[in-house]
Amino acid sequence: MAFEGLADRLQGTIKKITGKGKVSEQDVKEMTREVRLALLEADVNFKVVKQLIARIKERAVGQEVMESLTPGQQVIKVVKDELTNLMGGEQSKIAVADRSPTVIMMVGLQGAGKTTTTGKLANHLRKKHNRNPLLVACDVYRPAAIQQLETLGTQLDMPVFSLGTEANPVDIANQAIAQAKENHNDYVIIDTAGRLHVDENLMEELQKIKTDVKPDEIFLVVDSMTGQDAVNVAESFNEQLDITGVVLTKLDGDTRGGAALSIKAVTDKPIKFAGMGEKLDQLEAFHPERMASRILG
Ligand code: GDP
């Protein structure tokens, strides 16, 4: 299970302090030291850990805790609040364009789960928001990727726009949007090309699509299993494309949690969704508070 090690350690730390009728600065010091180690071991970015611990410390020795009747529990609440804030606080919504269709561009490295997430997101928009999306195959370098999207379209019984591997991605995107207008598809989800590593050619192509198409959302799909790499990837994509949100995939695996806990702080972009399995209905809106509760037990 994801976050297992982190959850175990934090819950152990919490147990020690929960029942305390009095919490001394020494208790807070010990608790924050353990929380710090647990977070670092879960591969959370060290700068993020430093800031988080400073905030927890400040609040934990402050009035709200020291003057509380249940200081032990109050300390835990502080840790939970701060973990929630770290992951973005409020749950963040998906954009709706003033004029239909709303255009979402999916970006990310190969293997992160971009194409699968494109299908999952379309399914989510239809099921939860009663929308009628068009999927667009803009990965012109890999015929297998186009095929994969077409298969997803068939499984979902949703239209897929493709011009094969010969056309230019900007043209494909523009023609897809024109078709969506004609056929009353209210969302257009563009599956772009991925590479094994962040590279200039890829970024240039994505920037061209962005400049021309002006998407309402740019979602970066990252694999939560890759830990700090996921955070670095998110930083580069955000610098180059000014993404609007992140989808964290493979949270059903045994990820240590570093990516989930660092990405918002490092990029200042919200985690919008979490991939919880390979199936098309295994995408969940990301709720920072629920995630913090899951980690703290
Ligand atoms: P792309 O290269 O980024 O388009 O990646 P794909 O969509 O082809 O996904 C790569 C692999 O990751 C596939 O085997 C997917 O089934 C798998 N995958 C994607 N999302 C998830 C997820 O949330 N959980 C799990 N367990 N597997 C996922």
Side-chain angles (χ1 to χ4, degrees):
M1 199 198 86
F3 304 114
E4 201 161 358
L6 179 62
D8 276 356
R9 286 196 63 158
L10 289 183
Q11 286 168 25
T13 304
I14 282 168
K15 260 197 206 123
K16 284 189 215 155
I17 211 165
T18 313
K20 289 207 173 196
K22 240 180 133 198
V23 174
S24 65
E25 280 200 32
Q26 186 59 28
D27 291 332
V28 169
K29 219 172 166 184
E30 274 167 30
M31 186 267 304
T32 47
R33 193 175 56 222
E34 285 178 37
V35 171
R36 181 175 163 273
L37 287 174
L39 292 168
L40 288 173
E41 216 164 83
D43 207 18
V44 181
N45 180 290
F46 82 93
K47 277 191 209 145
V48 172
V49 174
K50 206 170 156 194
Q51 287 165 5
L52 179 78
I53 294 298
R55 277 199 303 271
I56 293 177
K57 256 190 192 153
E58 194 186 312
R59 286 184 60 189
V61 296
Q63 279 188 349
E64 66 180 312
V65 169
M66 294 308 174
E67 290 177 9
S68 151
L69 292 175
T70 53
Q73 282 170 27
Q74 205 59 30
V75 170
I76 307 313
K77 184 176 171 297
V78 167
V79 176
K80 188 179 161 197
D81 280 358
E82 292 300 335
L83 273 185
T84 304
N85 287 340
L86 183 66
M87 289 186 281
E90 296 281 296
Q91 187 212 344
S92 112
K93 298 247 165 359
I94 204 162
V96 184
D98 292 337
R99 259 202 262 158
S100 194
T102 304
V103 178
I104 302 176
M105 193 174 153
M106 307 295 287
V107 301
L109 295 184
Q110 202 169 306
K114 190 163 30 59
T115 304
T116 312
T117 305
T118 301
K120 285 176 170 180
L121 184 61
N123 190 38
H124 172 91
L125 285 167
R126 179 169 63 190
K127 276 203 169 148
K128 305 267 173 177
H129 301 273
N130 216 7
R131 300 291 183 172
N132 174 25
L134 173 67
L135 307 179
V136 186
C138 271
D139 185 352
V140 294
Y141 309 102
R142 290 194 310 138
I146 301 178
Q147 183 64 48
Q148 188 186 350
L149 196 67
E150 280 172 349
T151 307
L152 289 173
T154 309
Q155 280 171 19
L156 290 165
D157 193 21
M158 271 186 202
V160 175
F161 187 93
S162 147
L163 293 175
T165 54
E166 298 300 313
N168 157 335
V170 174
D171 293 340
I172 301 175
N174 280 321
Q175 289 190 40
I177 292 167
Q179 183 187 300
K181 283 181 186 155
E182 250 172 55
N183 294 350
H184 305 292
N185 295 109
D186 45 15
Y187 273 81
V188 170
I189 312 179
I190 303 171
D191 185 23
T192 62
R195 299 273 158 86
L196 289 173
H197 304 283
V198 174
D199 80 39
E200 237 172 76
N201 292 340
L202 172 65
M203 288 302 173
E204 253 172 44
E205 177 175 311
L206 296 175
Q207 277 162 348
K208 273 189 200 148
I209 302 177
K210 175 184 171 175
T211 309
D212 207 85
V213 168
K214 300 188 179 58
D216 302 286
E217 298 268 24
I218 302 178
F219 287 165
L220 171 67
V221 179
V222 288
D223 180 343
S224 63
M225 303 286 292
T226 59
Q228 281 307 299
D229 271 350
V231 180
N232 295 335
V233 166
E235 234 181 334
S236 331
F237 272 82
N238 192 40
E239 270 166 22
Q240 306 275 339
L241 289 168
D242 193 17
I243 59 171
T244 63
V246 173
V247 181
L248 268 185
T249 62
K250 309 183 196 178
L251 267 185
D252 52 305
D254 57 359
T255 166
R256 285 183 287 165
L261 288 160
S262 313
I263 277 184
K264 169 65 174 58
V266 171
T267 62
D268 201 27
K269 298 298 162 67
I271 301 172
K272 299 253 186 181
F273 293 96
M276 303 298 295
E278 294 190 88
K279 300 209 185 83
L280 287 171
D281 58 357
Q282 289 176 316
L283 183 76
E284 292 177 7
F286 187 83
H287 297 279
E289 198 193 334
R290 277 189 221 163
M291 197 51 82
S293 300
R294 207 161 106 180
I295 295 168
L296 293 176

